[in-house]
Amino acid sequence: MASLPFSATSFHSTFICFNYKARNPNLFFLKKGSSFTFSRRKFIIKSVASDQRQDLKEEGQITEEASLDTFVPDSASIASSIKYHSEFTPSFAPDHFELPKAFKATAESVRDSLIINWNATYAYYEKINVKQAYYLSMEYLQGRALLNAIGNLELTGAYAEALKKLGHNLEDVAREEPDAALGNGGLGRLASCFLDSLATLNYPAWGYGLRYKYGLFKQYITKDGQEEVAENWLEMGNPWEIVRNDVSYPVKFYGEVISGPEGIKEWVGGEDITAVAYDVPIPGYKTKTTINLRLWSTKVAPEKFDLSAFNAGDHAKAYSAMNNAEKICYILYPGDESLEGKTLRLKQQYTLCSASLQDIIARYERRSGEFLNWEIFPEKVAVQMNDTHPTLCIPELIRILIDVKGLSWEQAWNITQRTVAYTNHTVLPEALEKWSLELMEKLLPRHVEIIKMIDEELVQTIIDEYGTEDLDLLQEKLKQMRILDNIELPESVVEMIVKPEKSSVEAIESTEEDDVSDEETEPTAEEDELEEEEIEEKNEVPPIIEPDPKLPKLVRMANLCVAGGYAVNGVAEIHSEIVKNEVFNDFYEMWPEKFQNKTNGVTPRRWIRFCNPDLSKIITKWTGSEDWVVNTEKLLTLRKFADNEDLQSEWREAKQRNKVKVASFLREKTGYIVNPDAMFDVQVKRIHEYKRQLLNIMGIVYRYKKMKEMSHEERKASFAPRVCIFGGKAFATYVQAKRIVKFITDVGATVNHDPEIGDLLKVVFVPDYNVSVAEMLIPGSELSQHISTAGMEASGTSNMKFAMNGCILIGTLDGANVEIRQEVGEDNFFLFGAEAHEIAGLRKERAEGKFVPDPRFEEVKSYVRSGVFGPYNYEELMGSLEGNEGYGRADYFLVGKDFPSYIECQDNVDEAYRDQKRWTKMSILNTAGSYKFSSDRTIHEYARDIWRIDPVVLP
């Protein structure tokens, strides 16, 4: 047990007691069995922070509205607060104060401080009825909250000292916190960075998501590759969240739609669940503003438990309704290979949208009071859909406005189009969601009716834009732009397109009237037949309304987002151009004003100030202040010192200290011992074929093979020592991605135990990659790989984090790589590979059988097939890189095409690394050039160009 200045066996509880006259806090330790008489004393149990703040308020030192910036707790009061929570907010047995309990009590102490500002923030927003942005996302990859929260509150030193008094180290306590399992990759991490920036910049905003019980999954690496088990992040409770039992909303599935009086629609029957709010505070940096992340959990009313079935022994039936409700929030992205999986995922998306929209509307009504005016709803509310997952908020908002609030279709449609905006994150077809119309009709029948109405509005707009003269053009536009895919056109539209022509009799009579100068002649039989064919052809229903019975009927969610919202943005300059010119080109031609670019960003607080304190101190010293933490333009100051030997020496020392930490971490997590003097070469991100971890590991195999063919002296002369680090999760049902994980670990097992190679090359796969692992790896990384097939990565955010920490990138001209290279300088970025505009042509060349692979690429594939990396059969993996067509074949992601360029670029990396002065300068310039990629800049642009909200500073 940790050494403590108090013994849990010598006292039972810690109380804060106040003399009713002096109001001075005195800490009492009540021993078991002790009795006290509290005459003329007021006995209060409160947190120390709120008590001492109350004291100051009564003494006139702070006002009623003052927040924590007026009262800053010292280490003694913090220690008392931690003691208080260890006893009076118990989650552990009272006789120990070990690390898990210390973390929980410390977090609850911090939460006390946050609650003061948290409540003040939203009380003020309610009071002034400010316009607010609401960010809807299926993912929030938050990471650990403790160090971030106390850092933003500027209480890191005080908490470190307080915990030291209590026998613990702050870093050890912080490591007890599990990562919140609410996200998977960049989509969720971006959402979390945005919340941090929104709070820091004082923008009125709120995040909405789902409270997953198990998240995605916990990843283990075994001899068989990746294995998945359920995340246990909630096993010990979440000290940051507060359940709002008074904030819950009904959510319905299935049932039917009936028409009431005056055509009012009512959705009845079906399955009813309840969404309950869990709130998490998000503090800003050096500001009072503390915004909210509201997560929904699902349940049913107790009466849904079938007691009679339970008593009869049919326990499955008794629990059926509860299980159906609770499983909605069990895991992030349930596998959707089965109908049940698809249904569950659609339920998740609708739950997020329905509960959030009901909450947003309730807040709007409460703020409006007696002056409720739905027409100005978009002037008070902006809803941002983070990718297509929250698309259902469009028909849900319309449903509530029409069916519940009594507005007309025209009013509801107009309000929705001025309220909702959409961020596109991908050009990959599988991410541009399409849902089965049949499934959606069963699960959400009222929403399908509304979506059909939106589709009819869109079709009408397309016809108004392009006319009906050129039916081939109109057919193409409708094929690309309709929300409903492979579904007949509405009758009203068909009537508009197919105008009745004159009958044969009318046509003949008209001809007789007009042809007054010619001699009347009887038409021949052939002429009669030809005329009838022409008339039939003119009246023929055009093929645009003929669905293919062999193809499924689908709802295209991305098209619904574009049609139903007022703004569409990509997340990097190159990606936004692809969105305009390829993904949504037809929409862009019709509505160019809707489309914008908002390059992603990352918060400099978490991603350098808190995770890399050594480098942060150096930056502060050389830029002259800590202003760079909120004004990253100050990082540009580093450019003028990039050649300074003193700065370079300090920079290298900081990087080396971080590398030593990484080496220790790798040994702890994997058992591999690596040399911290080697180059740390890192690729950590979701495992996916387009991100091309396969290209990386095949480059390593080529490197290893060349090493094996050389003498010891030749190897040392030819290659800089490297530790190649991988991390990331392959989706549980993504077989090819899991093969890649297995391949990487097999290569590592062989290379790392090869005595001939020694420390010249190591390959390490870090299991269960998450935010906390990233916070460890990124500060110690020297080369980071962002090598996706050009045109397929929307932006990326890890590339920004690495550059911010002085890590040099190797990559393609894809996503934010393009802009990073522009800012850090072409000489400070290792570029290779085909460019986005070449990809389609290269795939066409492959399909035509014209691609000739580089001999070195063929050499690597043969080497893998030889069995040098173990008995596992890699034929499917290598075979995916061969052939000219077919699913899972033909090297769709162009690994073979870019392989020679990649390995030649790696030779340039080795050459640069040998010159440490040059490398350090490149590192400094990467940090300086990362100024543009702060999420603060991104949020300013969203606030100005999309949400049209202003900062609100609390008084």
Side-chain angles (χ1 to χ4, degrees):
M1 191 173 93
S3 173
L4 295 175
F6 60 96
S7 170
T9 59
S10 66
F11 70 94
H12 182 253
S13 302
T14 301
F15 296 93
I16 303 301
C17 303
F18 292 89
N19 181 286
Y20 80 102
K21 291 182 178 179
R23 305 288 293 175
N24 291 323
N26 297 289
L27 189 61
F28 285 87
F29 301 92
L30 301 186
K31 295 182 180 179
K32 289 183 181 178
S34 299
S35 61
F36 291 84
T37 302
F38 291 97
S39 61
R40 300 181 65 188
R41 285 186 180 271
K42 188 173 183 181
F43 186 71
I44 304 173
I45 300 174
K46 291 184 179 178
S47 78
V48 172
S50 63
D51 283 334
Q52 292 193 358
R53 183 176 179 277
Q54 176 68 24
D55 296 341
L56 293 174
K57 186 170 71 176
E58 292 187 3
E59 293 167 10
Q61 296 181 33
I62 62 174
T63 64
E64 184 68 36
E65 293 79 14
S67 194
L68 264 183
D69 64 340
T70 312
F71 170 69
V72 179
D74 58 17
S75 62
S77 62
I78 287 172
S80 296
S81 177
I82 294 172
K83 291 177 184 179
Y84 166 81
H85 281 292
S86 73
E87 294 301 310
F88 290 97
T89 317
S91 298
F92 298 86
D95 53 344
H96 293 288
F97 189 72
E98 294 180 342
L99 283 172
K101 184 175 183 178
F103 161 68
K104 193 77 180 294
T106 301
E108 285 160 344
S109 166
V110 176
R111 193 185 68 182
D112 285 349
S113 297
L114 296 180
I115 285 174
I116 299 170
N117 284 341
W118 196 15
N119 291 342
T121 299
Y122 278 92
Y124 191 63
Y125 291 171
E126 293 278 323
K127 179 180 178 181
I128 65 174
N129 192 17
V130 66
K131 181 176 183 179
Q132 191 163 325
Y134 297 96
Y135 198 79
L136 271 64
S137 179
M138 288 290 285
E139 294 188 46
Y140 289 92
L141 199 58
Q142 291 289 88
R144 292 169 175 160
L146 178 59
L147 293 181
N148 189 73
I150 62 176
N152 279 358
L153 291 169
E154 299 180 87
L155 293 175
T156 303
Y159 267 90
E161 187 177 341
L163 284 167
K164 189 175 181 181
K165 292 177 181 178
L166 299 177
H168 287 300
N169 178 278
L170 173 59
E171 286 71 26
D172 293 337
V173 170
R175 278 195 289 271
E176 289 296 310
E177 181 176 5
D179 277 39
L182 299 172
N184 176 32
L187 182 81
R189 187 52 238 171
L190 179 75
S192 297
C193 283
F194 277 7
L195 293 184
D196 177 90
S197 288
L198 284 163
T200 297
L201 301 173
N202 301 301
Y203 281 113
W206 204 322
Y208 282 105
L210 295 181
R211 182 181 179 267
Y212 303 108
K213 185 174 182 178
Y214 300 115
L216 189 68
F217 57 80
K218 184 181 286 290
Q219 178 196 55
Y220 288 105
I221 301 299
T222 70
K223 62 181 179 60
D224 298 316
Q226 171 181 298
E227 293 187 4
E228 308 90 21
V229 298
E231 295 256 19
N232 61 350
W233 76 285
L234 284 175
E235 184 179 19
M236 306 301 287
N238 179 9
W240 304 108
E241 69 183 11
I242 295 178
V243 59
R244 308 294 191 187
N245 289 308
D246 59 332
V247 181
S248 63
Y249 297 96
V251 178
K252 181 182 290 294
F253 305 109
Y254 304 110
E256 62 178 339
V257 181
I258 60 175
S259 295
E262 301 179 2
I264 296 175
K265 300 279 188 167
E266 186 178 1
W267 184 12
V268 298
E271 177 184 315
D272 296 304
I273 67 165
T274 301
V276 180
Y278 284 73
D279 286 353
V280 179
I282 308 295
Y285 178 69
K286 293 187 177 183
T287 177
K288 299 175 187 178
T289 301
T290 300
I291 65 172
N292 194 42
L293 170 59
R294 177 158 284 179
L295 303 172
W296 300 107
S297 186
T298 47
K299 67 176 187 177
V300 293
E303 54 266 26
K304 295 289 184 178
F305 177 73
D306 192 335
L307 187 60
S308 60
F310 188 86
N311 288 331
D314 192 347
H315 299 158
K317 179 183 177 183
Y319 278 109
S320 177
M322 288 185 171
N323 290 339
N324 284 338
E326 291 174 1
K327 72 182 180 182
I328 291 173
C329 291
Y330 271 177
I331 68 169
L332 169 67
Y333 300 146
D336 59 357
E337 299 296 315
S338 64
L339 176 61
E340 292 78 8
K342 289 182 173 67
T343 302
L344 182 56
R345 190 176 287 200
L346 190 56
K347 279 186 171 184
Q348 286 185 332
Q349 294 186 2
Y350 179 61
T351 298
L352 169 64
C353 295
S354 180
S356 301
L357 262 295
Q358 289 182 72
D359 195 43
I360 290 167
I361 287 172
R363 291 170 58 78
Y364 174 73
E365 290 179 316
R366 185 172 66 250
R367 289 182 178 187
S368 299
E370 60 186 43
F371 302 105
L372 181 63
N373 180 357
W374 289 109
E375 288 303 315
I376 65 169
F377 183 78
E379 297 172 23
K380 293 295 183 180
V381 170
V383 175
Q384 187 72 38
M385 301 182 295
N386 192 28
D387 215 348
T388 52
H389 307 131
T391 305
L392 287 169
C393 73
I394 293 172
E396 176 66 1
L397 178 55
I398 293 173
R399 181 192 72 83
I400 295 172
L401 292 176
I402 294 176
D403 297 355
V404 181
K405 304 304 175 183
L407 274 64
S408 68
W409 162 259
E410 290 75 15
Q411 288 175 303
W413 177 229
N414 178 267
I415 290 168
T416 300
Q417 283 191 300
R418 293 187 291 128
T419 300
V420 179
Y422 162 53
T423 298
N424 173 273
H425 282 278
T426 186
V427 300
L428 295 178
E430 63 264 30
L432 295 174
E433 291 182 297
K434 297 179 182 179
W435 285 101
S436 160
L437 180 67
E438 181 182 5
L439 170 60
M440 193 172 281
E441 282 179 324
K442 287 182 180 177
L443 193 68
L444 303 169
R446 177 59 175 139
H447 295 76
V448 170
E449 290 184 349
I450 293 169
I451 289 169
K452 287 180 177 179
M453 295 171 74
I454 297 173
D455 183 66
E456 187 171 348
E457 290 274 357
L458 177 60
V459 169
Q460 181 61 62
T461 303
I462 294 168
I463 293 172
D464 291 345
E465 180 76 13
Y466 295 100
T468 59
E469 300 303 316
D470 188 341
L471 286 182
D472 289 335
L473 174 64
L474 183 59
Q475 174 176 332
E476 183 60 28
K477 293 298 179 182
L478 291 174
K479 180 181 178 182
Q480 296 298 324
M481 299 174 71
R482 282 193 70 191
I483 296 164
L484 301 176
D485 185 24
N486 197 39
I487 296 171
E488 60 277 358
L489 286 168
E491 290 185 10
S492 61
V493 175
V494 175
E495 292 171 1
M496 184 184 307
I497 296 175
V498 187
K499 298 175 182 177
E501 297 292 335
K502 295 178 181 178
S503 67
S504 57
V505 175
E506 289 174 329
I508 293 170
E509 290 176 351
S510 175
T511 302
E512 290 173 346
E513 292 173 2
D514 295 339
D515 194 9
V516 292
S517 59
D518 293 339
E519 184 179 336
E520 291 186 3
T521 59
E522 291 291 328
T524 65
E526 289 181 355
E527 288 173 334
D528 273 339
E529 185 176 342
L530 180 62
E531 185 176 22
E532 288 174 5
E533 287 177 358
E534 289 176 349
I535 292 169
E536 286 177 6
E537 185 176 328
K538 287 179 180 178
N539 284 285
E540 186 180 277
V541 175
I544 50 178
I545 65 168
E546 295 290 339
D548 187 339
K550 298 177 183 178
L551 297 176
K553 297 181 177 182
L554 301 171
V555 181
R556 298 191 282 199
M557 306 303 270
N559 288 19
L560 177 55
C561 287
V562 178
Y566 66 91
V568 180
N569 72 277
V571 290
E573 287 178 1
I574 185 174
H575 170 244
S576 295
E577 290 304 305
I578 292 171
V579 165
K580 291 191 292 187
N581 298 328
E582 297 177 29
V583 182
F584 298 124
N585 179 251
D586 296 291
F587 287 104
Y588 175 65
E589 289 180 350
M590 191 163 71
W591 294 316
E593 70 284 350
K594 278 192 180 188
F595 289 81
Q596 303 182 20
N597 174 61
K598 295 288 171 279
T599 299
N600 283 346
V602 299
T603 166
R605 270 76 62 186
R606 181 180 287 272
W607 291 112
I608 183 166
R609 176 63 182 83
F610 301 146
C611 77
N612 198 344
D614 286 345
L615 192 62
S616 296
K617 290 173 184 175
I618 294 170
I619 294 171
T620 297
K621 173 184 173 181
W622 288 84
T623 60
S625 73
E626 276 202 338
D627 289 351
W628 62 269
V629 180
V630 287
N631 298 306
T632 50
E633 292 81 1
K634 301 285 186 181
L635 292 174
L636 290 169
T637 306
L638 294 172
R639 285 179 176 172
K640 64 183 180 183
F641 300 117
D643 288 308
N644 186 287
E645 291 186 3
D646 291 337
L647 173 58
Q648 288 200 0
S649 177
E650 293 174 21
W651 201 271
R652 279 193 295 270
E653 289 173 5
K655 180 65 73 172
Q656 189 64 20
R657 285 193 294 272
N658 287 325
K659 290 174 67 179
V660 169
K661 293 177 184 176
V662 171
S664 175
F665 172 80
L666 294 179
R667 183 173 186 175
E668 176 190 347
K669 293 296 182 183
T670 69
Y672 287 130
I673 299 172
V674 302
N675 181 5
D677 293 326
M679 179 202 304
F680 281 16
D681 171 354
V682 181
Q683 188 179 20
V684 285
K685 53 185 74 218
R686 183 164 48 96
I687 308 296
H688 197 291
E689 288 172 278
Y690 91 83
K691 293 180 183 288
R692 298 203 296 190
Q693 286 91 352
L694 186 56
L695 175 60
N696 186 351
I697 192 62
M698 292 189 76
I700 292 169
V701 170
Y702 178 78
R703 188 181 188 89
Y704 176 64
K705 185 175 186 296
K706 294 296 113 180
M707 285 181 176
K708 295 289 287 181
E709 294 168 355
M710 295 178 179
S711 67
H712 176 71
E713 291 73 20
E714 288 173 328
R715 283 195 290 269
K716 289 190 69 174
S718 300
F719 298 101
R722 287 205 200 189
V723 177
C724 300
I725 302 169
F726 292 83
K729 296 179 180 180
F731 192 64
T733 58
Y734 190 175
V735 176
Q736 193 74 322
K738 295 177 79 169
R739 288 190 184 117
I740 294 170
V741 174
K742 170 65 173 165
F743 183 32
I744 293 168
T745 57
D746 280 354
V747 172
T750 299
V751 171
N752 298 347
H753 294 99
D754 190 329
E756 286 186 351
I757 303 304
D759 284 342
L760 204 56
L761 181 62
K762 298 291 183 185
V763 180
V764 183
F765 193 102
V766 182
D768 206 36
Y769 178 68
N770 57 25
V771 173
S772 296
V773 174
E775 289 172 324
M776 172 61 68
L777 293 180
I778 290 173
S781 301
E782 294 172 288
L783 180 75
S784 182
Q785 306 223 18
H786 303 274
I787 57 178
S788 53
T789 311
M792 303 204 75
E793 184 72 87
S795 174
T797 54
S798 64
N799 45 7
M800 301 170 183
K801 298 163 196 165
F802 280 101
M804 197 173 277
N805 283 271
C807 185
I808 299 154
L809 309 189
I810 179 171
T812 53
L813 282 179
D814 196 25
N817 283 1
V818 178
E819 293 160 76
I820 291 173
R821 183 169 175 262
Q822 290 170 353
E823 296 299 331
V824 306
E826 294 180 5
D827 294 338
N828 304 305
F829 184 106
F830 294 105
L831 178 66
F832 76 94
E835 297 185 26
H837 68 272
E838 301 176 284
I839 301 302
L842 291 170
R843 287 178 177 145
K844 184 172 183 287
E845 177 187 83
R846 182 78 183 230
E848 293 170 351
K850 297 177 181 178
F851 173 68
V852 179
D854 187 280
R856 293 167 291 185
F857 186 61
E858 297 300 287
E859 182 184 347
V860 169
K861 289 191 297 178
S862 297
Y863 193 55
V864 173
R865 283 176 164 137
S866 72
V868 68
F869 300 114
Y872 185 84
N873 184 357
Y874 282 108
E875 189 56 40
E876 289 292 336
L877 189 58
M878 295 299 104
S880 71
L881 306 172
E882 298 173 336
N884 296 321
E885 60 183 357
Y887 179 75
R889 306 281 294 186
D891 193 13
Y892 183 78
F893 300 100
L894 305 182
V895 173
K897 174 64 182 177
D898 281 348
F899 184 78
S901 174
Y902 176 70
I903 60 174
E904 288 159 14
C905 189
Q906 290 285 11
D907 291 339
N908 297 334
V909 172
D910 277 0
E911 180 184 352
Y913 193 74
R914 290 192 185 96
D915 184 349
Q916 278 294 292
K917 182 175 177 63
R918 174 190 170 192
W919 189 272
T920 305
K921 179 180 179 180
M922 294 171 70
S923 176
I924 294 168
L925 291 173
N926 265 264
T927 296
S930 69
Y931 78 95
K932 180 181 176 182
F933 303 103
S934 165
S935 51
D936 296 353
R937 182 264 318 154
T938 315
I939 285 300
H940 276 312
E941 293 181 3
Y942 270 95
R944 181 192 65 214
D945 302 333
I946 298 180
W947 305 329
R948 300 180 183 94
I949 60 174
D950 297 314
V952 176
V953 179
L954 272 67

